[in-house]
Each structure stands twice: as structure tokens, then as C-alpha cells.
Amino acid sequence: MTAVHYAIGVLVIVVGVAVSIALHELGHLIPAKRFGVKVPQYMIGFGPTLWSRQVGETEVGVKAIPLGGYVRMIGMFPPEPGGDEAQLRRSSTGRFSQLIDQARADSMDDVQPGDEDRVFYKLPVRKKVVVMLGGPLMNLLLGTVIIGGVLTLYGVPTTIPRFAAISTCVPTAEPTVAKPQPACAAGDPVAPAAQAGLQAGDEVTAVNGTPVTQWSEVNDVIRASPGEQIALTVQRDGATRTVTVVPTALRRPVPNLATGKYELDADGKLVLRTVGFLGVTADVAPVRQPITAVPGAVGQQLQAMGGVIIALPQRMVGVAQAAFGSGERDPNGPISVVGVGRVGGEIASVGLSDRGDSLATVLTLVQLVAGLNLALFVFNLIPLLPLDGGHVIGALWEGVKRRWSALRGRPDPGYVDVAKALPLAYTVSVVLIGMSILLIYADLVRPVSLFG
């Protein structure tokens, strides 16, 4: 693990997060401007401004704390009942920025004469929804493009019917929980594959005369044929040959496909099963996927993200127990941006080393950014202020009220005063800030590690 490789991994994540935030806020900015809303600020980050430039009527800049961003639009909330246009409030799409932009009177600095019809709250319901969904949808688009590009242009690492290595012996030691795959020892018999002359790089094209395209088709026959003769058709150096082998009967642990571990009995010992052993290791290579595989891959990640968010309160208890006690971090649980950076550093440290695959490592880091974007998409759809989903619910409720009043022949009820939900917004913001602080602390003192 080198410091340079680690720093490269962290840098890739930092740049990826910054781009994700910038595109999220751009997803709000573009439709807002398209619909005529005045946007005084487009900022990446929070806190003191490091750099900014005036682009038309919008100040574009970067702030010191790169943990989010915001687009400030005038008149996101309507004036108080009985008030006038001078009491328009300003607000933003960034959850931290909204905490300091709540006072309605503050918006007077932004609403100039002639801006009365350029406020957000006067937009039709459908346009409000488009503006507020623009940010999350931009994250969804970015995540989908990255995942789709990797799947279709590079592929998915897949175990293929080609031998990566040939074992020299049959390990006869009994598997244990500590050593489920025991190594060879002196006096162990020669492995059947080595006896038959199979070599690393041999590609299996048929088993017992039946064509195969997947490693599972080869492995299933080997494991099911202890002591039985099987014929492997392999390609080597452009030539095809058939090799006859007899797998050795060997007791091996039973894998649990649901957990990725091995089955244990009531005494905590490995459950063993007699299977055929040939002494070959399958190769792994990227296999390109069709474009039709992309929606399913994205859907699986979205489903996983949704599950994490639904169970977030319970998972945060586990994070707290790990941070302040002796509990272990759940590798599939929530982590902060700091945690994502650390994971990126670990991946780069191993993958960019002499024994790693640089291209696969870079693509893994990029997919990590894709996963982060999908998480931002799902998280921002939570129907609570100050998240984007809260603004969407407010707009939809306005549409429902107006439609209901029209059907009953009643006067237009006017704009929904989303500002009434500000106490909830403050509460949610405090909770989110607290969760962020806890996750960052846990990622510093008890980080999730991919390599132990």
C-alpha cells in the first residue's frame, strides 16, 4: 500500500463528488432559468467563498467546505398570508444553506422591481416539480451513464471456462473454519489436472462432448464426478485437443450462496461434502454486457440504496455502537463522504500496485462515484423538507388542492405555503447534520475496510 496510490484514489473520489454536486445543482439551475426564475447564486460547497464569478445575473462560485452545494432561487416560498410581494423569501436547494435563508425578510435584497413574476412559487405545479427533480435526476443520469459505459464497453468481471492456474497436488488436510481451503503439504498426491497435462491458459470448449460457454457448466460436472472419467475439450495455442481426466473424491466445505460464507453445523464446524477435485483455478475476465443489462444493474443498486435508507435509523445505531464501543462496522451500511474517500484510497492502493489491474481499478473507483450518485438520487427523493422530495410534495399538494377546488366549483385556494413546514425542515436538518457528523467520526475512528 503506497501513499501515492492511496492519494490518487482519494483524489478520484473528491473530484467525482465535486462533479456530482455540480451536476446536481446544475439540474436545478437549468430548468429554473429556463422557466424564468431569477437565480442569484450557484455554489459548490458551503462556508466562505474561495472563488466566484458573475455570469449574467448569477454568481457562480466555489466555497470552502466541499460537502454539498446549492442554487439560490428567489421566492421559493410565497409571502405570508396578507403580506405583499416585498415579503418574498429566498431559499436554495442546499440543505445547510436553507437553515440561514429561512427569514422571509431576507429575500428583499434579491427581489428587485420587475422580479415579481420571476419567483419560484408562482411557477405552475409541473414546472416546480421539474425544477426540484432536476437535481436528483441529474445524479440518476450520471450514475446510469457511468454504469452503462462500464458494462457495455469494459464488461463485468466474470469467471470464464479458462484455467488461470493448475494445482500441483491434492490437499488432503481436513478443512477447518480457520483454514477452509487447506494448502498442499509434503506427501500429498499429484492433482489430476497436472497428471493429465492440463496447463494454465487452456480454454475449455466442451465437457464430455457437450459445448460449454460458462465456467459453472465445467465446474458442476467436475464436482459431480468424483472417481469418474470425464473428457475436456480445450483450446491451446490455437489447437483443439481432448484431455481425459478423473477427478479425485475430496471432502470440501459447502458454500452458502446467500451469505458468501460456508455452511456450519450446530457445533460451529464446517459442513463438508464429497465432491470431485481436479486441481484447476478458473480465470476471471471482463465480459461485455448488452445495453439491455443496464436498467437491471441500475435497478439493483437503487433497490439496495433504498433498503439502506429505509433501515437507516437502525443502521445508525450500529454505527454509533462501533464508533463509541466495541461493535463492528457493517461493510454494507452507511458511510460518509470521508468513508467513501477512504474506500477509494484502499482500492487504489491495492489495484494500482504492481500486482493489480490499473484499468479495472480506475473503473472500480468510477463505479464507486456512480453508486454515490444513485444514493444521492434516492436520498433526495425522501419527501421531507429541506430535501428536494419535500419541495416536490409541496408542489404536488398545491396541484391537488387546486384541482379539488376546481372540481367543487370553489375559488382557487392559491399557493401552498410550504414555509409552514419550516419547523419540520429545521428538525430534519439538525438530524441530518447530526448523522453526518456521526458518520464522519465513525469513518475516522472505526472505518469500513475492504481488505481487513
Side-chain angles (χ1 to χ4, degrees):
M1 180 182 293
T2 67
V4 173
H5 293 157
Y6 190 94
I8 291 174
V10 173
L11 180 61
V12 170
I13 298 302
V14 169
V15 172
V17 169
V19 171
S20 301
I21 293 171
L23 290 177
H24 177 98
E25 299 307 332
L26 198 62
H28 292 303
L29 177 69
I30 292 175
K33 282 183 165 291
R34 179 78 174 178
F35 298 149
V37 177
K38 184 176 180 180
V39 183
Q41 278 190 319
Y42 166 84
M43 290 289 173
I44 307 303
F46 302 103
T49 300
L50 300 179
W51 170 89
S52 70
R53 175 176 296 177
Q54 195 69 27
V55 180
E57 63 184 12
T58 304
E59 180 188 10
V60 177
V62 177
K63 290 183 174 288
I65 306 175
L67 295 180
Y70 64 92
V71 170
R72 186 154 57 88
M73 296 176 278
I74 67 171
M76 276 196 86
F77 298 95
E80 292 184 84
D84 55 35
E85 297 291 340
Q87 298 301 314
L88 300 177
R89 68 170 281 104
R90 66 179 181 180
S91 190
S92 64
T93 57
R95 67 174 184 264
F96 296 114
S97 179
Q98 287 192 10
L99 295 177
I100 61 174
D101 286 343
Q102 300 302 313
R104 297 180 185 271
D106 290 348
S107 62
M108 294 177 62
D109 294 337
D110 292 323
V111 182
Q112 304 298 321
D115 291 340
E116 293 81 7
D117 292 326
R118 301 189 62 197
V119 292
F120 175 81
Y121 81 87
K122 287 187 177 181
L123 289 177
V125 170
R126 66 181 183 280
K127 292 185 177 181
K128 289 180 181 178
V129 172
V130 169
V131 171
M132 298 317 302
L133 285 182
L137 288 177
M138 189 68 82
N139 292 128
L140 175 62
L141 176 62
L142 181 58
T144 301
V145 168
I146 292 175
I147 293 173
V150 172
L151 290 183
T152 58
L153 299 178
Y154 177 75
V156 176
T158 305
T159 305
I160 60 176
R162 185 173 65 204
F163 301 142
I166 304 296
S167 176
T168 58
C169 75
V170 178
T172 56
E174 188 81 352
T176 63
V177 174
K179 291 184 177 181
Q181 300 292 338
C184 292
D188 284 346
V190 178
Q195 282 185 332
L198 292 173
Q199 298 179 11
D202 287 350
E203 184 172 351
V204 183
T205 59
V207 178
N208 292 330
T210 302
V212 296
T213 58
Q214 300 180 16
W215 170 249
S216 60
E217 298 172 306
V218 181
N219 192 49
D220 289 347
V221 174
I222 294 173
R223 292 176 65 86
S225 308
E228 300 177 10
Q229 189 177 74
I230 60 176
L232 299 180
T233 302
V234 300
Q235 282 190 344
R236 181 190 305 166
D237 299 328
T240 300
R241 66 193 69 194
T242 299
V243 180
T244 301
V245 292
V246 179
T248 298
L250 196 63
R251 286 171 58 79
R252 311 304 288 170
V254 178
N256 186 321
L257 298 181
T259 63
K261 300 179 180 180
Y262 293 106
E263 295 282 0
L264 301 177
D265 59 19
D267 297 326
K269 297 182 179 180
L270 289 175
V271 176
L272 302 180
R273 177 184 301 163
T274 300
V275 298
F277 176 83
L278 198 59
V280 295
T281 301
D283 203 355
V284 177
V287 176
R288 292 183 180 181
Q289 304 297 305
I291 191 69
T292 53
V294 177
V298 173
Q300 288 180 351
Q301 289 207 35
L302 290 176
Q303 184 177 9
M305 299 295 179
V308 171
I309 290 176
I310 291 174
L312 195 56
Q314 177 183 353
R315 290 175 180 266
M316 291 304 297
V317 172
V319 172
Q321 291 173 343
F324 300 105
S326 58
E328 294 294 328
R329 290 291 298 275
D330 181 359
N332 297 316
I335 59 177
S336 67
V337 175
V338 173
V340 175
R342 294 191 67 151
V343 169
E346 286 191 6
I347 292 173
S349 297
V350 175
L352 296 180
S353 64
D354 294 338
R355 64 182 184 278
D357 184 335
S358 297
L359 177 58
T361 300
V362 171
L363 292 178
T364 300
L365 293 173
V366 172
Q367 288 187 91
L368 195 60
V369 174
L372 179 62
N373 274 272
L374 295 184
L376 288 173
F377 168 74
V378 175
F379 187 75
N380 274 284
L381 292 184
I382 296 176
L384 293 173
L385 288 174
L387 300 172
D388 297 328
H391 291 286
V392 171
I393 290 297
L396 294 177
W397 177 236
E398 180 179 305
V400 169
K401 288 184 64 177
R402 287 185 164 176
R403 175 69 66 175
W404 179 248
S405 296
L407 290 175
R408 300 182 66 186
R410 292 187 175 183
D412 188 336
Y415 306 105
V416 168
D417 189 8
V418 187
K420 291 180 179 179
L422 287 180
L424 175 61
Y426 284 122
T427 302
V428 173
S429 296
V430 170
V431 171
L432 293 178
I433 293 172
M435 289 171 53
S436 298
I437 293 174
L438 173 58
L439 284 173
I440 291 174
Y441 177 76
D443 288 332
L444 291 174
V445 300
R446 189 68 67 83
V448 173
S449 178
L450 299 181
F451 307 102

